Amino acid sequence: RSIEGLVAAAKAVLWNAPDAAAELAGRALELTDQASASLVHRTVVAARALIAAGKLTAAQALAQDALSRQVSPEPAAKLRHCVAITTLLGAQHTESVEISEALLEEPDLLPELAPWVEITRMMALLGHDRRRAEELAETIVRTHTGSPDDVLATALAVLAAIARDTGQPGAALELAREAAQSVTSHDLCAYPQLLLATVFSGLREFADADSVVRRVRSGPSAVVTKEVMTSVVQARILLQAGRIEEASVEARGALAVAEETGHAALVAPASAVLAMVAIHTGDLPAAIEHVERCRGYVPTDGIIFSRAYYQWADVVVSHVGFGLDKALGLLTDQYPGLVSSGLFAEEPRAAGWFVRRALEAGDERLAKAVVDRVERLAEENPGFRAVAAAALHARGLFDSDASLLELASQQHRDLWARANAAEDLGALLTADPADRAASVKALENALGLYREIGASRDSARVLGRLRKLGRRRRAAPVRPASGWSSLDDTERAIANLVAKGQTNRQISTQLFMSPHTVNFHLRKIFRKLEISSRVELVMRSRDDQ
């Protein structure tokens, strides 16, 4: 009875306290006699708890060890599904598909297990075989009857991801919204909702993207997979919104947990974000390291972000690290379909970058292909301002049209793209001495925006352009180095909550950020206030008041 009490407790807290659930279930399993009829049932609970706690290797080993013995069909199916989940999260999509499909062919598969096996199969197919994933998802959506459920939500999310990746942002947004609304289980809320956040962020609708992430983070589920996936998605949203330092913290935290727990499917997204962060901040060795790590996972990814996004990161890093010929060579040799993919709807800033690089190389055909692609996207999706601004930027570069570049610099939805368009305008105007003042003004505008987001490498490039025009800029104004006045709004909010006795976990819940980000800001607060503990922070706060 006592052991069953441990098992019941583990099941009760499985979703909101998975570490405790894994500990309870593991202890129950240790205390169970190997000849007990309850052994297999308790093994299933322990394997599921380990998966929820992010201990994928241990969960898989436990399930496979149990399956190596004589096991009755019902618990065997549950254990095989546990293996299918761990292989899916470990980016072993082929194996996950095979296990899931074998289970679905069994005539006596438990009705309560069948939907979860179907969900696992669809997600694995999305990473393994897009055509089959799309066919299966379309069939489910077409034949679904009754109220929305998690299988329908997953099918809609799969179709949304494919629409995103093929350059159909309108369809992707509509499908992702419907998917997020169809979810019925709190433990499945992550993927459909976070996919919606990625679509919003790609279109530079940052307020909507942030709102979705807040809802996910405020939900009851504390499953490690959900938390890591949320951090990865949040990291790219922060990067696209120009909050580079915060993006780095989220991505580093996610990558550390993903590598520690065996969530190989989340290594590529986190690494891609860190590669782009490193490029913006001028850390080329780190950028190369991250993109090389990313390459090993790209062929089996495309679930969280599109494959085109990873390819774009690879091309950008190759350009900075190895030159223009190497970067453009990647397009021909490895990523021939990148320009015609959905990249410019997911990452509108890429359009201007590609046109600029193509013109530098004298490849007018490539430049025109990019312009044609992004203009077609804008024409087919007239409601998306980010895509329209990208089309203006690309056309302005291709035609050397200062008025279009100025318009793009005003209409871009993210700060880096806006700065980029202003820099392109300044560079274009530099050619005519009569436009020198306008050129300087545009470049100084770009410099201010780059400095605002912390893009030090881009800032240095623009400073070089200004020096060639005879302009000298003083260092960017900064906050005081220490004291309460040196804290920004986020740091003040965290300091106030610490002063009220809140833990990092409580603060992360209230401010809808990960504990990694809270800890990052807390270290900055300590440094700025020249203290070393939370107790000192409480005392300083009281003294200040």
Side-chain angles (χ1 to χ4, degrees):
R1 285 197 299 272
S2 297
I3 298 173
E4 275 303 309
L6 290 175
V7 175
K11 292 165 72 174
V13 300
L14 183 65
W15 303 118
N16 59 1
D19 283 329
E23 187 173 346
L24 290 165
R27 184 62 178 143
L29 203 56
E30 289 174 6
L31 294 169
T32 300
D33 190 291
Q34 293 298 299
S36 170
S38 300
L39 180 65
V40 176
H41 166 68
R42 293 170 185 170
T43 301
V44 171
V45 175
R48 288 177 169 174
L50 287 168
I51 290 172
K55 305 179 191 302
L56 302 184
T57 303
Q60 188 172 355
L62 180 65
Q64 288 177 331
D65 179 64
L67 287 167
S68 67
R69 301 188 293 271
Q70 192 70 27
V71 181
S72 58
E74 286 190 7
K78 293 176 181 178
L79 290 169
R80 287 163 64 195
H81 181 236
C82 287
V83 176
I85 293 173
T86 58
T87 51
L88 168 64
L89 298 176
Q92 298 168 282
H93 298 136
T94 305
E95 186 175 348
S96 185
V97 169
E98 291 173 353
I99 296 170
S100 301
E101 292 190 332
L103 282 169
L104 289 168
E105 288 174 0
E106 294 186 356
D108 298 324
L109 184 65
L110 291 169
E112 64 267 26
L113 184 61
W116 297 103
V117 177
E118 187 64 271
I119 287 167
T120 305
R121 174 171 72 156
M122 270 193 286
M123 294 300 299
L125 280 172
L126 184 59
H128 170 62
D129 187 333
R130 284 299 178 91
R131 183 188 58 79
R132 288 186 59 207
E134 185 174 20
E135 290 174 354
L136 177 60
E138 285 178 343
T139 299
I140 289 171
V141 172
R142 186 175 60 254
T143 59
H144 184 272
T145 57
S147 302
D149 57 31
D150 296 319
V151 174
L152 175 64
T154 305
L156 290 165
V158 165
L159 294 175
I162 292 171
R164 173 200 65 187
D165 298 354
T166 53
Q168 304 173 69
L173 186 55
E174 183 179 346
L175 288 162
R177 275 184 169 138
E178 191 176 352
Q181 292 167 358
S182 299
V183 170
T184 58
S185 300
H186 64 76
D187 49 292
L188 184 72
C189 70
Y191 185 70
Q193 293 198 33
L194 291 175
L195 180 66
L196 175 60
T198 67
V199 175
F200 272 135
S201 184
L203 296 170
R204 297 331 191 229
E205 301 295 342
F206 295 123
D208 290 326
D210 187 56
S211 177
V212 174
V213 172
R214 284 171 177 264
R215 285 200 302 273
V216 173
R217 278 199 158 136
S218 64
S221 173
V223 172
V224 168
T225 300
K226 187 201 84 165
E227 293 190 343
V228 181
M229 194 183 302
T230 305
S231 286
V232 166
V233 170
Q234 177 74 86
R236 194 175 72 162
I237 293 171
L238 291 167
L239 175 65
Q240 291 172 327
R243 295 157 64 183
I244 293 176
E245 195 172 22
E246 292 176 72
S248 177
V249 173
E250 285 282 355
R252 287 183 187 282
L255 181 60
V257 176
E259 291 185 326
E260 179 184 345
T261 59
H263 281 77
L266 298 173
V267 171
S271 298
V273 171
L274 289 170
M276 297 304 288
V277 166
I279 283 297
H280 285 317
T281 56
D283 189 350
L284 181 58
I288 293 172
E289 177 187 343
H290 290 307
V291 87
E292 286 179 348
R293 182 192 289 113
C294 195
R295 281 191 198 115
Y297 294 92
V298 171
T300 55
D301 203 84
I303 296 177
I304 308 299
F305 307 148
S306 73
R307 293 177 185 175
Y309 183 77
Y310 304 114
Q311 295 168 1
W312 144 248
D314 194 358
V315 171
V316 170
V317 172
S318 294
H319 171 252
V320 176
F322 308 106
L324 184 58
D325 289 344
K326 172 69 172 178
L328 296 185
L330 282 177
L331 291 179
T332 303
D333 300 334
Q334 295 186 39
Y335 311 136
L338 181 57
V339 168
S340 59
S341 71
L343 175 64
F344 304 133
E346 183 180 15
E347 192 58 79
R349 64 172 66 172
W353 189 93
F354 272 115
V355 174
R356 191 182 313 109
R357 300 287 89 86
L359 293 176
E360 286 176 12
D363 190 341
E364 189 169 316
R365 183 186 58 81
L366 173 60
K368 188 175 186 306
V370 174
V371 174
D372 289 345
R373 175 61 173 159
V374 73
E375 286 185 335
R376 187 165 59 254
L377 279 172
E379 183 180 347
E380 293 171 352
N381 301 275
F384 300 125
R385 290 170 52 194
V387 180
L392 288 172
H393 193 168
R395 175 58 69 180
L397 279 167
F398 189 71
D399 291 348
S400 298
D401 189 324
S403 63
L404 291 181
L405 290 175
E406 185 172 10
L407 198 57
S409 71
Q410 296 167 357
Q411 294 190 7
H412 268 305
R413 305 298 299 277
D414 72 79
L415 296 180
W416 188 86
R418 196 178 302 164
N420 224 220
E423 181 184 356
D424 287 333
L425 173 61
L428 176 62
L429 295 175
T430 300
D432 189 344
D435 291 327
R436 183 179 179 280
S439 174
V440 168
K441 181 180 178 181
L443 290 172
E444 288 187 336
N445 179 32
L447 179 62
L449 290 168
Y450 283 141
R451 281 177 166 174
E452 182 179 342
I453 65 177
S456 53
R457 175 178 171 273
D458 301 303
S459 297
R461 184 180 61 248
V462 175
L463 277 171
R465 292 184 186 275
L466 285 168
R467 290 193 187 99
K468 289 180 180 178
L469 294 172
R471 300 284 292 189
R472 293 289 184 270
R473 287 292 301 255
R474 292 177 296 175
V478 296
R479 289 177 181 270
S482 61
W484 287 102
S485 59
S486 68
L487 304 184
D488 61 27
D489 292 341
T490 301
E491 290 162 355
R492 284 179 178 275
I494 291 173
N496 288 333
L497 290 172
V498 170
K500 292 176 182 176
Q502 300 285 303
T503 64
N504 282 14
R505 175 66 68 175
Q506 291 169 326
I507 293 169
S508 70
T509 300
Q510 290 193 48
L511 299 183
F512 301 99
M513 58 179 64
S514 75
H516 299 297
T517 303
V518 174
N519 192 48
F520 163 72
H521 285 299
L522 200 53
R523 290 199 304 271
K524 291 176 66 179
I525 292 167
F526 286 177
R527 185 174 68 250
K528 289 179 178 181
L529 299 183
E530 299 177 347
I531 58 177
S532 58
S533 71
R534 300 172 81 93
V535 174
E536 288 182 90
L537 178 54
V538 173
M539 298 303 296
R540 283 289 298 271
S541 177
R542 289 174 181 171
D543 291 344
D544 182 63
Q545 291 172 4

